[in-house]
Amino acid sequence: MIDKRVASIDEALAGLGDGMTIMFGGFGGAGVPINLMRALPGTPANNLTIISNSVRFLEDYAHALFEEKRVRHAVASAARSRGAASGISEIQLADGTLTLDIAPQGSFAERIRAGGAGIPAFYTPTGVDTPVVEGKEHREFNGRMCVLETALTADFTLMRADKADRYGNLYFRGTQGNFGRDMAAAAKCTVVEVREIVDGLLPQPEIHVPGVFVKRIIQLPDARDA
Amino acid sequence: MIDKRVASIDEALAGLGDGMTIMFGGFGGAGVPINLMRALPGTPANNLTIISNSVRFLEDYAHALFEEKRVRHAVASAARSRGAASGISEIQLADGTLTLDIAPQGSFAERIRAGGAGIPAFYTPTGVDTPVVEGKEHREFNGRMCVLETALTADFTLMRADKADRYGNLYFRGTQGNFGRDMAAAAKCTVVEVREIVDGLLPQPEIHVPGVFVKRIIQLPDARDA
Amino acid sequence: MSYKALSRNQIAWRAAQDLEDGMVVNLGLGMPVLCANYRPEGREVLLQSENGVLGVGPVATPEQEDRDLTDAGSQLITLIPGASIFSSSDSFAMIRGGHIDVTLLGGFEVAANGDLANWDADMPGKGPLIGGAMDLAVGAKEVRIMMQHNTRDGSPRLLEKCNYKLTAPSCVTRVYTDLAVVDVTADGFVVREILDGLSRDELQAKTGAKLTFAPDCGVLKTPAV
Amino acid sequence: MSYKALSRNQIAWRAAQDLEDGMVVNLGLGMPVLCANYRPEGREVLLQSENGVLGVGPVATPEQEDRDLTDAGSQLITLIPGASIFSSSDSFAMIRGGHIDVTLLGGFEVAANGDLANWDADMPGKGPLIGGAMDLAVGAKEVRIMMQHNTRDGSPRLLEKCNYKLTAPSCVTRVYTDLAVVDVTADGFVVREILDGLSRDELQAKTGAKLTFAPDCGVLKTPAV
């Protein structure tokens, strides 16, 4: 019997260890795995690479990871902390504690999709003539200059959805899906916190992510209510 | 007011002309635009490139295009006619009337997605060490040899869905979506035959293809019933 | 003569008038999102948001608020009938693939060849933020910029060459400022509309590149918005 | 001694016994799809079809038939509870991306290094048909082949080197034939099970590459199916 339900956050994050790469779903507050992020500093995970559209989410919900210098590299389309003063990740970027692979958001999303889809690299016109693709291989297609972008994969993906079933099938409310839909396929171990694990199995029209991409699901209340 | 409804097949296929490239959705009988295919020989279209997972569909529903030697090039993952004897497309492949770009089905599908997504080319491990990628650029990523595949785009896409609304939003039944979902975005003029054009607009959970990818919709009965 | 520069809402009103019936439009953060409020009556303009929405409706009222339904600016939104939702990769496939008719974006600088700089203002101590701007600038059929004509210290933002890091080269087709509507053409900046009471020489003096004035150059409207 | 080679259904039964609880499996056309009928009770094996289905159920009865719901072999199918449907590109993303545990495919030839040839039998006058075989052979975590041990004219199909055009190199892990179950290992073909009544020498004589016999080499079962 296929049963991807886990009962505790410890079980959900089991195996998360040194030197790993973790992807984080979520955008604009929707689909952000706040409960799992908050639990990260309590794991032995160190020397981490984080892949998150915005580094700020990690500052918001797993600040101790930065304080304890456990994040060494970030891949993101935004690495700006809240407010006018420097945030901890900005300070660490400046002093070299943290390194950054900054990408246009579309290239960021496509690199994740490629990672889950077995596509090691692709060309895109985005970023050409800007400093963010300096050093990347350039090549012209149909008269348009493009750059080579490589796939992103991870050891873990942490994300939030609205509903799941024991197969790991996921249903999103509203715009919860965003990056998580592709991140689910790009990691070896995808862990999803959900509002509700349904009895039985989700009906076909409600399945936004097939369970094959998901390893563990855990029912946890909306951390924004706390 | 956005209104992509057209009333006649002539209107649906208007502009289809010489030297054009046409994509055809459909697999296993589901999502095949049989009505539109049958109307193709009646258009002035000549010197065509067809992009269809199987060339056979065109033989079945637009045989006259081959008889009149109006198809010069095909991109497909299958170019085998029905039965043990040679079909007309097989004869034309053999005598050079028709040329063929044969691709593994996954590369075929991904090339179409890339075409709609503004990705001019990508690398894939599929096909390496087989004759179908001979002459294509090879390159190793992470120790695995891959080949460069280029995007496919078209002047027209013809496909079938179950329901549409005036915005061009599409709803598929069962497995109708298959290649059409990506082909809709890869053509300049996507024409969709549907069982029903709904009053009003489709509800969000039923929209499988956003209308932005669709140019014309036409309500036509299921040609398999004829 | 004296003049009163347009407010942010007036710039947004002006930019919104150019959105045609049936267009698919992506509105950037800041001034551009204000355009949603000024779409001319009777036109169906579909708003795309790069977090995965086509058919963004008005910002949610307190009763409508749903924290799981946001736009790319993290505003809580509503959907119009016929709206669809999809993943980030599909959203950028839509953007990069050339399916967005117009994107309206904020800008730091625009060059006479259409180069755009709008993502990195070299803020000391602050990290970079690209977001969707580069993909929108590269992928949308038309890129229109909304910005103040000058910086706070009076420096021009319309330039021969951008000083800030580029977002994308040769992409901008039109700029809406608080003083004028300026097209980017093969011959450089062409003024289409200028504020009443502002002389052509004064506008040129506030601009860092040569301006040409269209033969039918009109008066920039100042609606009460 | 004499022996009776396995029927197609018996080969399918044997291959199905190796499908473990929780596996995601893609079954190729021909013999492989027969495996769906012999999945051991109590195991949840999810069947993927490359036209965009995860959770293929039994072939539709006449009352259930829906022409818009098919598998990659154009059979009218049903869905199991928990099944999902997606596009062709998403389906092959699933396949190429390594998310399929096992694919069972038909074969023309398998080489001792795991090379597979199963797509182009050089039929005169007939066009090529690749379909999903190459992506499945490259992408699935395990590629298992079901085929007759020999061609109709008695030639071997397990070879040192394939004669037909390859589908993919070094991909096959196990072969189920009407005579034996043979693993492809770093040391070449290793026989795991052999038909009762068939001697090792006879099997070797019917094979085009050296066979090793596993220390625990067992008897190939002949269920009444």
Side-chain angles (χ1 to χ4, degrees):
Chain A
M1 179 168 148
I2 302 168
D3 192 352
K4 299 181 175 177
R5 294 172 289 189
V6 299
S8 70
I9 289 186
D10 278 358
E11 223 181 317
L13 298 181
L16 216 161
D18 202 47
M20 284 193 174
T21 297
I22 313 176
M23 288 183 176
F24 299 90
F27 191 103
V32 184
I34 299 176
N35 294 289
L36 296 172
M37 282 176 163
R38 286 191 175 142
L40 267 185
T43 73
N46 198 357
N47 196 22
L48 294 173
T49 293
I50 59 168
I51 300 178
S52 172
N53 180 57
S54 174
V55 175
R56 199 177 68 193
F57 287 126
L58 271 292
E59 277 192 344
D60 287 350
Y61 303 117
H63 201 268
L65 285 183
F66 295 99
E67 290 165 29
E68 297 161 10
K69 301 189 178 180
R70 290 158 69 182
V71 184
R72 66 168 169 79
H73 186 61
V75 186
S77 88
R80 189 169 298 167
S81 307
R82 289 182 196 282
S86 294
I88 192 165
S89 70
E90 291 173 322
I91 291 166
Q92 296 189 350
L93 276 174
D95 72 17
T97 304
L98 178 64
T99 57
L100 177 67
D101 174 358
I102 186 101
Q105 197 173 120
S107 302
F108 176 81
E110 188 69 12
R111 290 173 71 185
I112 294 162
R113 179 192 175 275
I119 301 291
F122 60 89
Y123 288 94
T124 173
T126 304
V128 167
D129 281 341
T130 78
V132 302
V133 300
E134 261 170 31
K136 292 194 175 174
E137 180 179 319
H138 282 56
R139 182 160 172 176
E140 202 174 287
F141 290 91
N142 309 315
R144 191 170 205 189
M145 189 56 75
C146 294
V147 294
L148 185 69
E149 295 280 1
T150 52
L152 293 170
T153 56
D155 298 294
F156 275 77
T157 281
L158 309 184
M159 55 190 284
R160 185 171 175 94
D162 190 57
K163 292 190 284 189
D165 63 26
R166 66 180 172 87
Y167 279 6
N169 291 314
L170 303 182
Y171 167 80
F172 296 115
R173 285 190 71 234
T175 55
Q176 279 185 322
N178 56 71
F179 298 97
R181 289 202 196 205
D182 293 302
M183 287 176 172
K188 288 183 203 126
C189 183
T190 292
V191 184
V192 189
E193 56 166 87
V194 296
R195 185 183 56 80
E196 182 189 6
I197 296 177
V198 298
D199 291 331
L201 294 158
L202 286 171
Q204 180 265 317
E206 288 196 6
I207 299 177
H208 296 140
V209 172
V212 62
F213 299 123
V214 173
K215 280 286 187 304
R216 300 171 189 165
I217 53 169
I218 180 167
Q219 185 170 311
L220 291 170
D222 191 331
R224 296 171 297 185
D225 292 330
Chain B
M1 180 168 146
I2 302 168
D3 191 352
K4 298 180 176 177
R5 294 172 290 186
V6 298
S8 70
I9 289 186
D10 279 356
E11 223 181 317
L13 298 181
L16 215 160
D18 202 48
M20 284 193 175
T21 297
I22 313 176
M23 289 182 175
F24 299 90
F27 190 104
V32 185
I34 299 176
N35 294 290
L36 296 173
M37 282 176 164
R38 286 191 175 143
L40 267 185
T43 71
N46 198 357
N47 196 24
L48 294 173
T49 293
I50 59 168
I51 300 178
S52 173
N53 180 57
S54 174
V55 176
R56 199 177 68 192
F57 288 126
L58 271 293
E59 277 192 343
D60 287 350
Y61 302 117
H63 201 267
L65 284 184
F66 294 100
E67 291 166 27
E68 297 162 11
K69 301 190 178 178
R70 291 158 67 182
V71 184
R72 67 169 169 77
H73 187 61
V75 186
S77 89
R80 188 169 298 167
S81 307
R82 291 183 193 281
S86 293
I88 191 166
S89 70
E90 290 173 323
I91 291 166
Q92 295 189 350
L93 276 175
D95 72 18
T97 303
L98 178 64
T99 57
L100 177 67
D101 173 0
I102 185 101
Q105 197 172 122
S107 301
F108 176 81
E110 188 68 11
R111 290 173 70 186
I112 294 163
R113 180 192 175 274
I119 301 292
F122 59 89
Y123 289 94
T124 173
T126 304
V128 167
D129 281 342
T130 79
V132 301
V133 299
E134 262 171 30
K136 292 194 176 175
E137 182 179 319
H138 283 56
R139 181 159 171 177
E140 202 173 289
F141 290 92
N142 309 314
R144 190 170 206 187
M145 190 57 75
C146 294
V147 294
L148 185 70
E149 296 281 1
T150 52
L152 293 170
T153 57
D155 298 294
F156 275 76
T157 281
L158 309 184
M159 55 189 283
R160 186 171 175 91
D162 190 56
K163 292 190 284 190
D165 62 27
R166 64 180 173 88
Y167 279 6
N169 291 313
L170 303 182
Y171 167 81
F172 296 115
R173 285 189 72 235
T175 54
Q176 280 185 321
N178 55 70
F179 298 98
R181 290 201 195 205
D182 292 303
M183 286 177 172
K188 289 184 203 125
C189 184
T190 292
V191 185
V192 189
E193 57 166 86
V194 296
R195 185 183 57 77
E196 182 189 5
I197 296 177
V198 299
D199 292 331
L201 294 158
L202 286 170
Q204 180 264 317
E206 289 195 5
I207 300 177
H208 297 139
V209 172
V212 62
F213 299 125
V214 174
K215 281 285 188 303
R216 300 172 190 165
I217 53 169
I218 180 168
Q219 185 170 312
L220 291 170
D222 190 332
R224 295 171 299 185
D225 291 330
Chain C
M1 272 167 77
S2 74
Y3 65 89
K4 187 162 181 301
L6 295 192
S7 69
R8 286 162 55 89
N9 279 317
Q10 286 176 314
I11 299 173
W13 179 90
R14 177 61 193 84
Q17 305 315 300
D18 290 341
L19 301 178
E20 294 165 21
D21 192 29
M23 274 187 171
V24 176
V25 176
N26 182 296
L27 301 176
L29 306 194
M31 245 195 293
V33 292
L34 299 176
C35 294
N37 305 324
Y38 302 116
R39 280 172 286 175
E41 297 259 331
R43 297 188 202 167
E44 285 190 322
V45 174
L46 294 182
L47 300 181
Q48 201 257 14
S49 187
E50 61 262 35
N51 61 322
V53 184
L54 179 65
V56 174
V59 169
T61 61
E63 299 74 46
Q64 292 172 320
E65 278 186 1
D66 176 345
R67 291 175 299 183
D68 289 327
L69 186 59
T70 78
D71 67 10
S74 304
Q75 292 188 106
L76 302 184
I77 57 166
T78 57
L79 299 178
I80 63 165
S84 47
I85 292 178
F86 31 87
S87 71
S88 296
S89 63
D90 281 348
S91 182
F92 281 96
M94 194 180 283
I95 291 168
R96 202 192 307 103
H99 307 286
I100 306 295
D101 294 304
V102 174
T103 186
L104 277 159
L105 298 173
F108 300 150
E109 297 173 339
V110 174
N113 69 346
D115 285 0
L116 170 66
N118 77 346
W119 73 280
D120 190 336
D122 278 334
M123 290 185 283
K126 297 304 289 178
L129 192 162
I130 305 178
M134 290 188 184
D135 298 280
L136 285 162
V138 162
K141 290 181 199 158
E142 275 202 52
V143 179
R144 301 177 185 171
I145 301 301
M146 300 166 66
M147 63 185 187
Q148 305 301 322
H149 205 89
N150 296 91
T151 65
R152 278 179 207 169
D153 66 4
S155 303
R157 293 173 181 273
L158 294 174
L159 302 167
E160 285 297 341
K161 192 172 185 312
C162 293
N163 298 306
Y164 287 128
K165 294 171 186 165
L166 290 195
T167 303
S170 304
C171 59
V172 178
T173 55
R174 177 166 276 199
V175 184
Y176 304 95
T177 79
D178 52 339
L179 304 180
V181 176
V182 181
D183 280 354
V184 179
T185 74
D187 300 322
F189 290 126
V190 175
V191 182
R192 296 287 172 199
E193 296 176 13
I194 182 171
L195 202 63
D196 202 22
L198 177 68
S199 75
R200 293 183 174 193
D201 285 350
E202 282 173 302
L203 186 66
Q204 178 65 72
K206 289 170 176 293
T207 305
K210 185 173 178 304
L211 296 177
T212 307
F213 288 81
D216 59 346
C217 180
V219 171
L220 184 53
K221 287 193 179 135
T222 55
V225 293
Chain D
M1 273 166 73
S2 75
Y3 64 89
K4 185 160 182 303
L6 294 193
S7 67
R8 287 161 55 88
N9 279 316
Q10 285 175 314
I11 299 173
W13 178 89
R14 177 61 193 85
Q17 304 315 300
D18 289 342
L19 300 179
E20 294 166 20
D21 191 29
M23 273 187 172
V24 175
V25 176
N26 181 297
L27 301 177
L29 306 193
M31 244 195 294
V33 291
L34 299 176
C35 294
N37 305 325
Y38 302 116
R39 280 172 285 176
E41 297 259 333
R43 296 186 202 169
E44 286 191 321
V45 174
L46 294 182
L47 299 181
Q48 201 258 14
S49 186
E50 60 264 36
N51 61 323
V53 184
L54 180 65
V56 175
V59 170
T61 62
E63 298 75 47
Q64 292 172 319
E65 278 186 3
D66 175 344
R67 292 175 298 182
D68 290 326
L69 187 58
T70 78
D71 67 9
S74 302
Q75 294 190 102
L76 302 184
I77 58 166
T78 57
L79 300 179
I80 63 164
S84 47
I85 292 179
F86 31 86
S87 71
S88 296
S89 63
D90 280 349
S91 182
F92 282 96
M94 194 181 280
I95 290 167
R96 200 191 309 104
H99 307 287
I100 306 295
D101 294 305
V102 174
T103 186
L104 277 159
L105 298 173
F108 300 150
E109 297 173 338
V110 174
N113 68 348
D115 286 359
L116 170 65
N118 78 346
W119 72 279
D120 189 336
D122 278 333
M123 289 186 284
K126 298 303 289 178
L129 193 161
I130 305 178
M134 289 188 185
D135 298 281
L136 284 161
V138 162
K141 289 181 199 158
E142 276 203 52
V143 179
R144 301 178 185 171
I145 302 301
M146 300 166 66
M147 63 184 188
Q148 305 300 323
H149 204 88
N150 295 92
T151 65
R152 280 181 205 167
D153 67 5
S155 303
R157 293 174 181 272
L158 293 173
L159 303 167
E160 284 298 341
K161 193 172 182 314
C162 293
N163 299 307
Y164 287 127
K165 294 170 186 165
L166 289 195
T167 303
S170 303
C171 58
V172 178
T173 55
R174 175 165 278 197
V175 185
Y176 303 95
T177 78
D178 53 338
L179 305 180
V181 175
V182 181
D183 279 354
V184 179
T185 75
D187 299 322
F189 291 126
V190 175
V191 182
R192 295 289 171 198
E193 297 176 10
I194 182 171
L195 202 63
D196 201 21
L198 177 67
S199 76
R200 293 181 175 195
D201 285 350
E202 282 173 303
L203 186 67
Q204 178 65 72
K206 291 171 176 289
T207 304
K210 183 173 180 303
L211 295 176
T212 308
F213 289 80
D216 59 347
C217 180
V219 172
L220 183 55
K221 287 194 179 133
T222 55
V225 292

